[in-house]
């Protein structure tokens, strides 16, 4: 579970950086790079959730992601 929490923290950092770049950067390649990093972090988290749960049931993954939001 700690691995999932660590991945969630990395996703939050990537989302914050993407939001900041979107708001303040006028260089589209910079914004695209932050968006790519956010997308990669999200994909890693979802893949780790699938491994943790042992299933790829979307509802269970959503429930786990909501649970991680509260941690």
């Amino acid at each position: 579970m700690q691995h999932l929490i660590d991945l969630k923290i990395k996703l939050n950092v990537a989302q914050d950086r993407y939001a900041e770049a979107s708001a303040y950067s006028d260089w589209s390649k910079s914004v695209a790079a932050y968006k790519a990093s956010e997308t990669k972090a999200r994909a890693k988290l979802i893949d780790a959730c699938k491994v943790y749960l042992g299933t790829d049931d979307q509802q269970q993954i959503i429930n786990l992601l909501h649970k991680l939001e509260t941690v």
Side-chain angles (χ1 to χ4, degrees), residues 46 49-50 53 55-69:
I46 291 173
C49 287
K50 288 177 185 178
L53 292 171
T55 182
D56 62 349
D57 180 39
Q58 296 296 315
Q59 189 59 50
Q60 288 184 4
I61 293 170
I62 291 168
N63 292 342
L64 181 57
L65 290 172
H66 281 293
K67 187 176 182 181
L68 287 172
E69 287 291 329

Side-chain angles (χ1 to χ4, degrees), residues 1-68:
M1 185 65 141
Q2 184 60 41
H3 179 64
L4 294 176
I5 294 169
D6 293 340
L7 288 174
K8 179 62 180 151
I9 291 169
K10 287 180 182 182
L11 174 60
N12 288 343
V13 169
Q15 288 174 332
D16 292 343
R17 288 180 180 166
Y18 171 63
E20 184 177 348
S22 295
Y24 298 113
S25 179
D26 57 351
W27 195 47
S28 64
K29 288 186 180 184
S30 173
V31 174
Y34 284 115
K35 177 62 179 169
S37 118
E38 188 257 343
T39 301
K40 185 177 177 182
R42 181 181 309 281
K44 280 185 178 182
L45 177 59
I46 291 173
D47 288 342
C49 287
K50 288 177 185 178
V51 170
Y52 179 79
L53 292 171
T55 182
D56 62 349
D57 180 39
Q58 296 296 315
Q59 189 59 50
Q60 288 184 4
I61 293 170
I62 291 168
N63 292 342
L64 181 57
L65 290 172
H66 281 293
K67 187 176 182 181
L68 287 172

